[in-house]
């Protein structure tokens, strides 16, 4: 959903609530752009938000995600590895997660370290939300791939470019589960090697969290 204000802030808490705020003052907006570091968002103990006739505090340990919705603010987190992470709809996610049961391999053959790989991810948060995204990055070496998987729930903010403008910051400590489609070719050393018991029909999404019917999957209406 596209924002109607200069900036809209949505704070999602672990109890299932969503608290929304807006900024229309250009100077206040500029201050936030200058002082908010998405990748370190959850380093502080609390967020304090103040406006007309109110002041509110949110303990960061209880915040599952924060959305900064804006047509004029992008996270710009490409970095030297050139990684791009974009939010996608659940339907787009499901369309990208059709298993190839004729190929028993978990994922593709180890790519060249300089090639670009594309994978789709879904994150389950402790409040029951699911966030889907597309990840594009250089394949890197075996260590790079293992490190990427370890870093998913590390750090102080997992940042995703938001559909409609702006960005989403997930609290890594409140991500309850995640899945990649396909997985990376290189597995962490402590990985349990097992196959999906409920994955039987080729052409049906292999989503772990919410199943989408074939009728929904191939219906182009949104």
């Amino acid at each position: 959903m596209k924002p109607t204000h200069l900036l809209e802030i949505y704070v999602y808490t672990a109890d299932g609530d969503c608290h929304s705020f807006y900024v229309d003052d250009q100077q206040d907006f500029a201050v936030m752009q200058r002082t908010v570091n998405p990748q370190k968002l959850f380093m502080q103990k609390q967020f304090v938000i103040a406006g007309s006739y109110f002041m509110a505090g949110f303990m960061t340990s209880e915040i599952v995600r924060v959305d900064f919705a804006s047509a004029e603010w992008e996270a710009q987190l490409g970095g030297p590895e050139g990684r791009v992470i974009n939010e996608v709809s659940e339907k787009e996610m499901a369309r990208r997660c059709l298993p190839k049961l004729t190929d028993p391999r978990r994922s593709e053959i180890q790519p060249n370290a300089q090639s670009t790989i594309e994978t789709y991810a879904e994150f389950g948060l402790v409040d029951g939300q699911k966030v889907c995204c597309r990840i594009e990055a250089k394949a890197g070496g075996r260590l790079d791939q293992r490190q990427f998987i370890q870093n998913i729930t590390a750090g102080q903010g997992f940042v995703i470019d938001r559909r409609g403008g702006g960005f989403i910051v997930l609290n890594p400590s409140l991500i309850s589960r995640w899945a990649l489609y396909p997985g990376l070719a290189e597995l962490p050393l402590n990985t349990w090697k097992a196959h999906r018991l409920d994955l039987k029909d080729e052409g049906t999404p292999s989503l772990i969290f919410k199943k989408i019917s074939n009728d929904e999957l191939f219906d182009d209406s949104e």
Side-chain angles (χ1 to χ4, degrees), residues 131-146:
V131 181
C132 303
C133 62
R134 170 183 173 273
I135 301 173
E136 181 180 303
K138 284 186 178 179
R142 296 179 183 273
L143 182 60
D144 296 322
Q145 293 181 41
R146 288 180 180 176

Side-chain angles (χ1 to χ4, degrees), residues 3 7 27 34-35 37 96 120-121 146 174:
L7 172 65
Q27 185 173 351
R34 188 170 63 252
T35 58
N37 184 337
R96 298 292 183 172
Y120 285 78
R146 288 180 180 176
L174 296 183

Side-chain angles (χ1 to χ4, degrees), residues 78-114:
E81 72 281 4
R83 186 176 300 152
V84 177
I85 306 178
N86 296 308
E87 182 189 17
V88 298
S89 68
E90 289 190 22
K91 184 178 291 186
E92 172 67 10
M93 180 77 193
R95 287 175 171 173
R96 298 292 183 172
C97 297
L98 299 178
K100 297 178 181 178
L101 301 183
T102 53
D103 184 351
R105 295 175 301 180
R106 181 191 49 78
S107 63
E108 300 300 325
I109 297 172
Q110 181 72 255
N112 181 284
Q114 295 304 312

